[in-house]
Amino acid sequence: MTPVPIDRRTLIAATAAMAAVAAAGCASPSDAVRAAAAERRRPGALAHKGVNYDTERETWKLSYVRRDIKAIRRDLHCNAILLLGSDVRRLMEAARLAAGEGLYVWIEARQFEQTPERTLEFLTEIGRAAEKLRRRHPKVGISVGCELTIFMQGLVPGADWMERGANLSKPISNGYNERLNAFLPKAVKTTREVFGGKLTYSSGEWEKVVWTDFDIVGVDLYRDAKNEATYVRQVRELHSHGKPVFITEFGCCTYKGAEKRGGEGFMGVIDEDPPPPRVKPGFVRDERVQAEHIGELLDIYEAEGVSGAFVYNFSSPDTPHTDDPLYDQDIASHCIVKVRSDYARTGRWEPKLAFHTLARRYA
């Protein structure tokens, strides 16, 4: 079986990356603010109503993937999907199933901890495979990478993603945006040589991307206590590039206070040593927190004319839910469905409250 790289749950840019983003006050959005946002919803907003679907998992069975994607289209009412992964075969198997359901298929090509040269080679592989599908199903696009300053070698000093994240705000990393913007045109050129569909890039909010060569602006934009007061302005400013805007990742985990921690909400929740993994004291499961957080962000995206939103993430079979709060790893998951330890045998999952919130909003 294809080796499974580091799960995306452990790969969200950590504290040092967040420190590179300008922090602001922590005022909570009031009901009046949310109501005003709802009143300002722009026609045509959220043309792409989507979810991330991570193909990096221990258990990969097409019957399970087919069931998931049918639910994403028919029950969650998505019209788009963002497929994440490093294995071309898995990505294209999922892409064909999603295309068969009529979804707009976005493929995020990502092989973490690779050189720029290998990253370009992988984009060629993905582009060729995606183009074959696009000729039969025109609604196919590619994201040429994810937060490359951290997850690719060569832009920021560091032996791995953790070191690069820690170095982002240090003088040794000065010029990383210039290096990123020197690489991205190569990524676009490489992909366009073999692929005729639309292109975006899933950027980190600390990255200042030159979007000239892209069709769509893409940002992984989590809201937390640091940027809560400026979040709407951040979303609005994305339109300054004159292109459609996708929020390629958003959401939060499933416990009280997770809405204040955004993308880094998984950190420090689970104690994995000694096994089995246990929830640390002080973390209490609360699905309502996640559901309300996602609903508030969708209000903002609609009001600000965002063209596409992809909640992170659909499922994480490697962080199972249990009725015993001490061992409920799912509370540290951003996913909108919960799976149990029998997933490998059954493929079953249960919707969280956030699933139903999305289904109502996307319908």
Side-chain angles (χ1 to χ4, degrees):
M1 190 177 91
T2 303
V4 178
I6 306 170
D7 189 282
R8 178 64 172 113
R9 181 175 68 89
T10 65
L11 283 177
I12 299 170
T15 306
M18 295 301 178
V21 183
C26 303
S28 298
S30 66
D31 290 340
V33 171
R34 288 195 292 271
E39 290 178 2
R40 297 200 321 274
R41 286 174 188 158
R42 298 183 185 179
L46 293 188
H48 290 242
K49 301 173 182 178
V51 65
N52 282 257
Y53 189 86
D54 200 338
T55 64
E56 308 285 5
R57 55 186 66 189
E58 290 291 342
T59 300
W60 182 259
K61 294 183 179 180
L62 281 184
S63 59
Y64 295 177
V65 179
R66 182 178 293 108
R67 183 191 310 164
D68 291 350
I69 289 176
K70 281 185 178 180
I72 286 169
R73 181 67 187 101
R74 303 179 189 188
D75 301 326
L76 195 58
H77 306 301
C78 290
N79 62 11
I81 190 170
L82 181 57
L83 300 172
L84 317 176
S86 62
D87 184 298
V88 177
R89 177 184 62 83
R90 286 187 179 191
L91 285 168
M92 296 316 302
E93 286 174 347
R96 287 189 286 271
L97 290 171
E101 285 293 319
L103 291 162
Y104 202 119
V105 180
W106 289 91
I107 301 169
E108 187 176 286
R110 54 197 223 175
Q111 283 192 332
F112 296 126
E113 303 298 340
Q114 298 297 324
T115 64
E117 293 75 20
R118 174 54 196 154
T119 300
L120 294 177
E121 291 172 0
F122 182 58
L123 282 171
T124 297
E125 296 172 28
I126 288 291
R128 284 176 175 155
E131 179 63 14
K132 291 179 182 178
L133 177 61
R134 195 187 70 85
R135 289 174 183 172
R136 303 191 306 273
H137 177 80
K139 296 188 293 183
V140 179
I142 290 176
S143 169
V144 301
C146 172
E147 301 171 12
L148 290 175
T149 51
I150 290 179
F151 298 133
M152 187 179 76
Q153 299 174 16
L155 301 179
V156 171
D160 56 29
W161 73 271
M162 290 181 287
E163 283 193 14
R164 290 190 287 273
N167 287 336
L168 266 178
S169 58
K170 297 178 180 179
I172 58 172
S173 298
N174 288 350
Y176 68 77
N177 277 311
E178 289 79 2
R179 291 188 289 276
L180 173 65
N181 286 310
F183 173 78
L184 286 175
K186 298 176 185 177
V188 170
K189 181 177 182 295
T190 296
T191 309
R192 289 206 193 279
E193 286 175 351
V194 294
F195 178 73
K198 294 185 181 298
L199 299 183
T200 187
Y201 166 62
S202 303
S203 65
E205 59 178 305
W206 59 91
E207 296 176 343
K208 299 187 184 305
V209 175
V210 175
W211 292 101
T212 305
D213 295 332
F214 292 94
D215 300 296
I216 294 162
V217 173
V219 186
D220 297 344
L221 192 57
Y222 291 89
R223 191 183 71 181
D224 56 29
K226 299 184 186 76
N227 70 350
E228 194 169 32
T230 58
Y231 190 84
V232 172
R233 188 179 72 202
Q234 284 182 271
V235 174
R236 188 172 299 159
E237 288 175 349
L238 295 174
H239 290 290
S240 65
H241 305 285
K243 296 176 183 283
V245 172
F246 280 5
I247 307 299
T248 41
E249 291 184 20
F250 70 99
C252 75
C253 294
T254 319
Y255 57 84
K256 293 183 186 297
E259 79 282 9
K260 300 295 185 182
R261 303 188 66 206
E264 61 183 17
F266 68 90
M267 297 175 66
V269 179
I270 305 296
D271 188 352
E272 306 209 14
D273 188 24
R278 303 165 187 244
V279 177
K280 293 182 179 179
F283 294 97
V284 178
R285 185 179 187 87
D286 192 335
E287 293 189 14
R288 191 175 302 278
V289 164
Q290 183 190 41
E292 291 179 352
H293 182 76
I294 287 172
E296 290 171 3
L297 295 186
L298 289 174
D299 283 341
I300 292 170
Y301 303 155
E302 290 183 345
E304 298 303 327
V306 169
S307 296
F310 297 82
V311 69
Y312 187 82
N313 185 16
F314 183 73
S315 68
S316 178
D318 303 325
T319 54
H321 168 65
T322 175
D323 294 330
D324 186 339
L326 181 60
Y327 300 104
D328 183 15
Q329 296 182 64
D330 177 73
I331 76 165
S333 160
H334 287 75
C335 298
I336 59 171
V337 306
K338 53 196 172 189
V339 301
R340 295 185 181 265
S341 57
D342 65 352
Y343 177 84
R345 179 172 56 84
T346 67
R348 289 199 299 264
W349 48 261
E350 304 166 50
K352 298 183 188 178
L353 289 180
F355 183 100
H356 298 299
T357 295
L358 274 170
R360 288 192 299 270
R361 297 297 297 268
Y362 282 177

